[in-house]
Amino acid sequence: VQLQASGGGLVQPGGSLTLSCTSSEFNLDYYDIGWFRQAPGKEREGISCITNTDGTTYIPNEVRGRFAISRDGAKNTVYLQMNNLKPEDTAVYYCARSKGCHLSMADFDAWGQGTQVTVSS
């Protein structure tokens, strides 16, 4: 069982991208969904999460105000809107599911291949 992340690409600093996370195998409405990223030579880090109960979102300080997470049940998709992108946002972005946004990364599963985001002029 995997989630599919898409929407990455090459963007100039200050630009925007919207990533999508979906699955053809299960209903995302039953899970909290998180976005994570991993830059070359760095550990994977969580950058947002949205609950399945009331849509509460969690955004860490380092991307708060620039990134937003949302979900569309009709499309079985969770989105990550990224604005004012910086070179340090360059990474492979992944989405994964969990029974709770408060849980550790190890409790997330259904990781897919990720989508590459490159911020460069």
Side-chain angles (χ1 to χ4, degrees):
V1 175
Q2 285 189 335
L3 287 157
Q4 291 85 44
S6 62
L10 173 64
V11 62
Q12 292 187 343
S16 299
L17 279 176
T18 300
L19 306 183
S20 299
C21 173
T22 190
S23 175
S24 60
E25 300 174 87
F26 66 92
N27 190 334
L28 272 63
D29 283 349
Y30 294 119
Y31 298 90
D32 292 1
I33 303 295
W35 280 99
F36 304 81
R37 68 184 181 186
Q38 187 165 19
K42 294 187 177 181
E43 293 186 353
R44 190 170 297 186
E45 62 177 345
I47 55 170
S48 66
C49 194
I50 186 167
T51 67
N52 70 321
T53 51
D54 59 4
T56 298
T57 63
Y58 300 89
I59 308 286
N61 289 337
E62 65 179 296
V63 297
R64 188 172 297 163
R66 299 192 298 122
F67 290 11
I69 186 172
S70 62
R71 63 195 308 159
D72 185 336
K75 296 183 178 180
N76 202 35
T77 300
V78 170
Y79 301 99
L80 182 68
Q81 174 68 44
M82 305 186 295
N83 299 319
N84 190 24
L85 283 161
K86 305 175 180 180
E88 52 264 41
D89 294 319
T90 295
V92 179
Y93 284 69
Y94 303 87
C95 57
R97 69 180 188 182
S98 174
K99 287 299 185 182
C101 284
H102 62 284
L103 299 174
S104 69
M105 196 180 307
D107 293 308
F108 283 76
D109 66 4
W111 300 86
Q113 297 298 312
T115 185
Q116 176 71 48
V117 172
T118 302
V119 185
S120 175
S121 56

